[in-house]
Amino acid sequence: MGSSTLEFQEKQKCLLSIRASVTDNVKEVNTSKENASSVKAVIRATAPGLLSNLVSANPLDAYQDWAGKTLLLELVSADIDSAAGLEKETIKGYAQKVKTENDEVIYESEFKVPAGFGEVGAILVQNELHKEIFLNNIVLDGFPNSPIHFNCSSWVHSIYDNPSKRIFFSNKSYLPNDTPTGLKKLRETDLENLRGNGEGERKKFDRIYDYDTYNDLGDPDSSSDDLARPVLGSKAHPYPRRCRTGRPRSKKDPSSETRSNSVYVPRDETFEDVKASTFGKTTLKSVLHALLPTLEVILLNPKLGFPHFTEIDTLFKEGIPVPKDKNFFQLLLPRLVKTITDGGDEALLFESPAMMERDKFSWFRDEEFSRQTLAGLNPYSLELVTEWPLKSKLDPEIYGSPESLITTELVEREIRGVMTIDEALKQKKMFILDYHDLLLPYVSKVREIEGTTLYGSRTLFFLTMEGTLKPIAIELTRPPVGDKPQWKQVFTPGWDGTSCWLWRLAKAHVCAHDSGYHQLVIHWLRTHCCTEPYIIAANRQLSAMHPIYRLLHPHFRYTMEINALARESLINAGGIIESCFSPGKYAIELSSAAYDQLWRFDMEALPADLIRRGMAVEDPTAEHGLKLSIEDYPFANDGLILWDAIKQWVRDYVNHYYPDSSLVESDKELQDWWTEVRTKGHADKKDEPWWPVLKTPEDLVNVLTTIIWVAAGHHAAVNFGQYVYAGYFPNRPTIARTNMPTEDPVDDEYKNFLHKPEFALLKCFPSKIQATKVMAVLDVLSSHSPDEEYLGDQTEPSWAENPVIKAAFERFNGRLKELEGIIDERNTNLSLKNRTGAGVVPYELLKPFSKPGVTGMGVPNSISI
């Protein structure tokens, strides 16, 4: 007999002993009660296999389910025994399966609750199946007042994996000091279970939240020496923290963690096999693990580019044939892979992005290039020019002359004498995309990578009388490299053929810089990465019954899981970001530099971000308390309405639970949460003076509004337009592969540029494999899943049970519906040239609600894809 069989039999004996004890206790309690209430518990659950055939999973589970020995429940009183001064004895009972209903398994249990038992404040649950089960909710009915609801939405591990009982609190929220005496110990025990002890490798069924550095992006033990990466989360490379997995350390680099096929996240952060929300995750995994490797086989030459623009068009008309594998791709990726012949052949056939549908050549126009800095995929980088002349802050001994070649004379020439540079600066007419100092330190290193290049760049814009931006100059800089001196050149919109094509090439480089910065900093770092510490700290320090936990929880759903998938296949060494975006293998290291130099929590609030970039100034007489530097700034105009709506909802919620400042300061869980966010989650910035302090309800309102804005509004604005604006990659090339023809020109190459400049631009663009990989990933990342949960759309169970909170949420929902109407109206106003017009994609990224799919609108509660 094997050791596993003996172990199993011992577990069975132990379980039988527990059951016998429970049964005796149940009988004893039932026979001793007088004047007891009959209470029915109705449990709604979901588990893989429960709805089909339990026998196929485990015969003993089938028997236990039939015998009514699946779930053991214990009712916990909110009161203590006043005579003994201890928690009251729980009331135990098994729940029996009674039916299935709408893909749920319904269990019921009957209890006799003595008159003096008090209100039930918690339920302990023990799962005696051999596999986990997902509890949706529990309702206790039979009490004099009303049913008691317990929103679970959680996996309950098998007793064979972990013998400890799960704790579920009722939907009534309590600040720590208001916790009923019978629940105080249980409240702390639940948090202790979630914190763990910081030891061992995490298992799939664990619900433990802890911190670690980003030491799992590289693969030092790989046979390829090129996959080692620095650890992010140190003095050398500051970074937010991620969730600890406890995987073994690398043999070659003990500071790094070994990689694995799946990455641990706490069990309740993933909902696979339960909800249709797995649509996004499953589709993304199918693209990353199946479709992209297939493309690499089909497109054998990784350097092969597009010889003609018409060949780019074939991606949307004819597609790329893929192997027919019993409709595998078509079933998993119906939007991307289609049957294209009567014989059933399949092809990767991309949908035409909205931008391409409206105006195929809009990407070529300077007006659209400028407009997208205000109403495109990255509306977060444009800044007001406040200092002149432009000058680098980098060390000139290393990077060369800091002075820009964009001179006063050049600017005044390009704006055709409309005003002087001094007048333009005074009237706030000059704006800049400045990637010079951030990128320049990486130029030499990136240029060592085959098939790519990099510059530091500055792009200058002028605000016209019509309120639109006109690009007037692009400066590209290469620092001294080897025996070559610094090289820099300014390109302007020209009036001759050579100047026009050099300008187009310079724009392609700037778009590649902006694409990389958007993906690495504006999108990944500032939303996904910086939010994970808030989630970890909330689960470790805020009880599930804490009102602030219940306010934040909807905005944390699925984020840790999608971040784990990103570490697995997107931002890892050799992943999609490194292979297809500037600056290649230094991509995530660049995001660390941006975190170090630029990230501040107090500047993540939308109004503060606009003020910092010079895009707004405080003005108490203006709407939202801000006056915008560019009146027609679609992202800011819509975003400020959304920000105000979120802030009012949060203020109503916070003021209900914290009517005065003393309650904020005395809330230990709240203070511990915020301290841990700073000292552990963002440990590399823990001593910065700008961290907000939680002393008043308004302090708390500002912190919570910022977190919710980042997870909802900020992320939606920079994520769900990715396929709309970058699906046709010439509009937003993710990488530049060739140098400018005027940098150290070689006779033959320069002659080829003069003879066929279109080929020079195509050669600079991403290769076929790079473009198609990114397009496939962006298509999925831009999609809303069928059960997407949108901001302000559905109330949480705990909110619905509190009349004050329910009314506040209904007002919030009403404001968001008003915002939808305002955006629709604005998009019909032809005087708003930055958001509508001939061939222009209307700005809808902050419309709160959406149907499923790639829509270019919709603000989900959380960073769910």
Side-chain angles (χ1 to χ4, degrees):
M1 186 178 294
S3 60
S4 59
T5 305
L6 287 171
E7 183 182 354
F8 174 76
Q9 290 180 346
E10 286 301 317
K11 286 183 176 180
Q12 287 294 314
K13 289 178 183 178
C14 177
L15 183 57
L16 289 171
S17 175
I18 293 172
R19 282 187 187 147
S21 173
V22 169
T23 305
D24 290 342
N25 287 340
V26 171
K27 288 178 180 177
E28 183 180 338
V29 171
N30 284 344
T31 56
S32 65
K33 291 174 182 173
E34 296 180 1
N35 301 321
S37 300
S38 293
V39 174
K40 177 191 285 188
V42 178
I43 304 100
R44 293 181 176 272
T46 315
L50 277 178
L51 299 176
S52 53
N53 186 1
L54 267 169
V55 178
S56 64
N58 189 302
L60 284 173
D61 283 354
Y63 171 75
Q64 286 175 212
D65 211 44
W66 172 81
K69 302 292 184 180
T70 300
L71 296 173
L72 173 62
L73 273 59
E74 297 184 40
L75 308 187
V76 181
S77 173
D79 301 333
I80 61 169
D81 186 325
S82 56
L86 299 172
E87 289 80 10
K88 292 183 178 181
E89 184 179 349
T90 61
I91 301 175
K92 302 179 178 69
Y94 279 102
Q96 288 190 307
K97 178 181 174 181
V98 293
K99 61 180 176 178
T100 60
E101 182 180 278
N102 298 327
D103 294 336
E104 287 184 316
V105 183
I106 313 300
Y107 293 87
E108 292 182 359
S109 182
E110 298 281 348
F111 297 92
K112 291 292 185 181
V113 180
F117 187 73
E119 183 178 347
V120 176
I123 297 178
L124 308 183
V125 179
Q126 189 165 273
N127 169 22
E128 297 187 2
L129 293 174
H130 286 77
K131 61 184 177 183
E132 62 188 353
I133 185 170
F134 187 85
L135 291 194
N136 297 313
N137 59 69
I138 302 172
V139 179
L140 299 181
D141 203 358
F143 292 102
N145 296 331
S146 62
I148 301 176
H149 294 266
F150 297 76
N151 181 50
C152 304
S153 298
S154 179
W155 290 97
V156 178
H157 54 259
S158 164
I159 191 174
Y160 299 103
D161 289 328
N162 183 346
S164 63
K165 301 165 186 174
R166 282 298 311 281
I167 302 168
F168 294 104
F169 297 107
S170 73
N171 290 353
K172 189 178 291 186
S173 299
Y174 296 100
L175 296 179
N177 291 340
D178 298 330
T179 308
T181 51
L183 302 178
K184 286 185 175 180
K185 285 186 179 178
L186 214 54
R187 182 171 185 149
E188 183 54 40
T189 298
D190 194 40
L191 286 173
E192 289 172 356
N193 292 339
L194 290 164
R195 293 178 195 131
N197 60 10
E199 298 176 359
E201 184 171 358
R202 299 275 68 86
K203 300 178 177 62
K204 180 182 177 182
F205 59 80
D206 283 337
R207 296 173 59 253
I208 296 175
Y209 296 77
D210 204 353
Y211 301 95
D212 207 343
T213 58
Y214 276 76
N215 60 358
D216 64 341
L217 301 181
D219 190 2
D221 295 338
S222 168
S223 56
S224 171
D225 294 332
D226 200 38
L227 295 181
R229 295 291 181 272
V231 173
L232 303 185
S234 64
K235 187 175 181 180
H237 299 290
Y239 219 55
R241 299 302 190 259
R242 62 166 176 91
C243 185
R244 179 185 178 277
T245 68
R247 287 177 292 186
R249 295 288 169 160
S250 161
K251 295 177 182 178
K252 292 183 180 179
D253 177 15
S255 65
S256 293
E257 191 174 81
T258 55
R259 294 180 58 78
S260 57
N261 291 331
S262 61
V263 180
Y264 165 80
V265 293
R267 191 63 183 101
D268 284 345
E269 302 300 330
T270 174
F271 291 88
E272 59 185 327
D273 301 325
V274 174
K275 292 188 176 182
S277 58
T278 57
F279 165 83
K281 179 193 169 188
T282 302
T283 307
L284 183 56
K285 277 195 167 182
S286 300
V287 168
L288 295 174
H289 297 162
L291 183 60
L292 298 192
T294 301
L295 287 176
E296 289 175 351
V297 173
I298 296 170
L299 303 172
L300 292 174
N301 185 354
K303 301 177 184 178
L304 185 65
F306 292 88
H308 307 282
F309 277 95
T310 52
E311 189 159 332
I312 299 175
D313 295 342
T314 63
L315 296 174
F316 307 99
K317 296 177 180 178
E318 302 169 18
I320 300 173
V322 296
K324 186 179 177 184
D325 187 7
K326 298 181 180 179
N327 294 324
F328 170 76
F329 286 125
Q330 193 173 356
L331 286 171
L332 288 175
L333 308 168
R335 179 180 153 87
L336 285 171
V337 178
K338 300 176 177 65
T339 302
I340 57 171
T341 67
D342 293 337
D345 293 329
E346 292 181 353
L348 173 62
L349 185 63
F350 292 97
E351 300 277 345
S352 295
M355 183 181 167
M356 183 182 177
E357 283 287 295
R358 285 178 174 266
D359 183 353
K360 180 179 176 182
F361 300 106
S362 61
W363 69 276
F364 222 49
R365 295 186 287 107
D366 286 352
E367 296 85 353
E368 183 64 13
F369 171 67
S370 302
R371 189 190 74 84
Q372 287 184 28
T373 64
L374 301 170
L377 192 51
N378 178 18
Y380 268 99
S381 288
L382 191 70
E383 297 177 275
L384 179 70
V385 177
T386 57
E387 296 179 1
W388 192 265
L390 303 175
K391 189 174 182 179
S392 170
K393 294 180 173 62
L394 297 175
D395 185 351
E397 293 295 322
I398 300 174
Y399 300 103
S401 172
E403 285 78 19
S404 171
L405 293 183
I406 302 177
T407 62
T408 296
E409 293 74 22
L410 183 148
V411 170
E412 292 179 350
R413 183 187 74 221
E414 289 301 317
I415 62 177
R416 306 291 188 264
V418 171
M419 61 182 66
T420 66
I421 187 68
D422 289 337
E423 291 170 332
L425 293 170
K426 186 176 180 180
Q427 296 179 34
K428 297 184 178 180
K429 296 285 188 179
M430 305 300 299
F431 296 85
I432 190 170
L433 279 182
D434 192 350
Y435 296 130
H436 185 277
D437 284 10
L438 186 67
L439 295 183
L440 206 62
Y442 291 89
V443 170
S444 298
K445 294 189 286 188
V446 169
R447 287 184 172 217
E448 294 174 1
I449 304 171
E450 185 180 4
T452 188
T453 190
L454 190 65
Y455 294 100
S457 67
R458 297 183 180 103
T459 306
L460 201 63
F461 300 88
F462 177 74
L463 183 63
T464 68
M465 296 284 289
E466 289 77 25
T468 59
L469 290 173
K470 169 184 169 61
I472 56 177
I474 294 173
E475 181 178 37
L476 300 178
T477 304
R478 180 201 70 198
V481 179
D483 58 353
K484 293 181 179 180
Q486 181 194 62
W487 176 90
K488 63 175 71 171
Q489 185 172 346
V490 177
F491 303 90
T492 58
W495 296 94
D496 62 277
T498 302
S499 297
C500 286
W501 276 102
L502 286 173
W503 172 249
R504 288 165 187 155
L505 280 163
K507 282 199 299 181
H509 280 274
V510 170
C511 286
H513 301 166
D514 192 63
S515 292
Y517 187 79
H518 159 262
Q519 202 65 264
L520 294 164
V521 179
I522 302 299
H523 183 195
W524 162 253
L525 174 68
R526 289 178 61 179
T527 65
H528 288 259
C529 187
C530 286
T531 296
E532 186 154 339
Y534 312 146
I535 303 172
I536 298 171
N539 282 278
R540 286 168 55 86
Q541 301 297 342
L542 295 176
S543 167
M545 68 167 76
H546 198 294
I548 300 306
Y549 179 87
R550 285 175 163 160
L551 173 67
L552 288 175
H553 186 253
H555 305 289
F556 293 160
R557 289 189 179 114
Y558 318 138
T559 301
M560 290 181 71
E561 184 178 22
I562 202 67
N563 286 2
L565 184 57
R567 302 205 314 273
E568 183 184 335
S569 302
L570 288 173
I571 64 170
N572 59 300
I576 302 301
I577 298 297
E578 286 196 0
S579 61
C580 301
F581 283 80
S582 292
K585 64 183 285 187
Y586 301 100
I588 300 301
E589 187 180 327
L590 175 74
S591 73
S592 169
Y595 177 72
D596 182 31
Q597 299 170 29
L598 304 172
W599 189 86
R600 291 177 49 159
F601 179 87
D602 62 329
M603 294 296 169
E604 291 304 289
L606 177 60
D609 173 83
L610 293 169
I611 292 169
R612 176 168 72 165
R613 291 188 286 120
M615 303 304 292
V617 293
E618 290 187 65
D619 183 351
T621 66
E623 189 178 12
H624 316 296
L626 293 179
K627 178 177 174 58
L628 295 176
S629 301
I630 299 176
E631 290 185 14
D632 183 13
Y633 185 178
F635 161 69
N637 293 132
D638 297 353
L640 286 169
I641 297 176
L642 183 59
W643 168 270
D644 283 353
I646 294 170
K647 189 168 187 177
Q648 187 58 56
W649 152 240
V650 173
R651 182 179 284 121
D652 290 343
Y653 189 99
V654 166
N655 287 342
H656 175 68
Y657 288 102
Y658 298 92
D660 63 69
S661 297
S662 64
L663 294 173
V664 174
E665 292 191 271
S666 64
D667 187 335
K668 187 177 185 304
E669 286 185 7
L670 182 71
Q671 296 295 336
D672 287 350
W673 164 68
W674 189 236
T675 297
E676 190 167 291
V677 166
R678 175 174 60 85
T679 61
K680 292 188 176 181
H682 288 274
D684 298 325
K685 287 183 173 279
K686 63 184 175 65
D687 297 321
E688 296 287 355
W690 41 254
W691 281 102
V693 177
L694 295 184
K695 289 186 175 181
T696 68
E698 195 62 18
D699 292 338
L700 181 57
V701 168
N702 290 331
V703 165
L704 297 174
T705 303
T706 299
I707 290 173
I708 293 171
W709 162 259
V710 169
H714 180 151
H715 181 258
V718 303
N719 181 75
F720 291 103
Q722 291 194 84
Y723 194 74
V724 172
Y725 289 104
Y728 185 69
F729 72 85
N731 182 58
R732 286 186 69 81
T734 58
I735 198 166
R737 295 192 296 151
T738 58
N739 295 337
M740 291 294 293
T742 52
E743 180 197 343
D744 302 328
V746 177
D747 288 345
D748 287 345
E749 288 187 8
Y750 197 73
K751 286 179 181 177
N752 290 337
F753 160 69
L754 293 174
H755 181 65
K756 279 285 188 179
E758 176 186 331
F759 288 172
L761 183 58
L762 287 165
K763 193 176 177 182
C764 183
F765 280 160
S767 67
K768 278 188 178 182
I769 186 64
Q770 288 172 326
T772 51
K773 276 184 174 182
V774 170
M775 289 166 67
V777 171
L778 295 188
D779 183 277
V780 178
L781 294 181
S782 302
S783 296
H784 291 293
S785 64
D787 76 330
E788 190 85 85
E789 297 179 8
Y790 294 97
L791 184 69
D793 189 30
Q794 297 179 355
T795 185
E796 291 291 297
S798 62
W799 306 344
E801 292 187 23
N802 185 313
V804 174
I805 301 303
K806 181 181 179 182
F809 183 81
E810 288 172 351
R811 292 193 295 272
F812 181 43
N813 174 267
R815 293 187 193 102
L816 297 183
K817 289 178 179 176
E818 287 177 12
L819 175 56
E820 288 223 309
I822 291 170
I823 291 174
D824 286 339
E825 184 179 357
R826 286 173 171 174
N827 286 336
T828 63
N829 185 349
L830 292 178
S831 67
L832 300 177
K833 296 180 173 62
N834 291 326
R835 69 181 306 142
T836 190
V840 172
V841 177
Y843 190 76
E844 298 180 312
L845 288 172
L846 291 176
K847 284 188 74 171
F849 312 113
S850 174
K851 63 183 181 180
V854 178
T855 64
M857 65 180 74
V859 181
N861 270 325
S862 63
I863 302 164
S864 55
I865 188 69

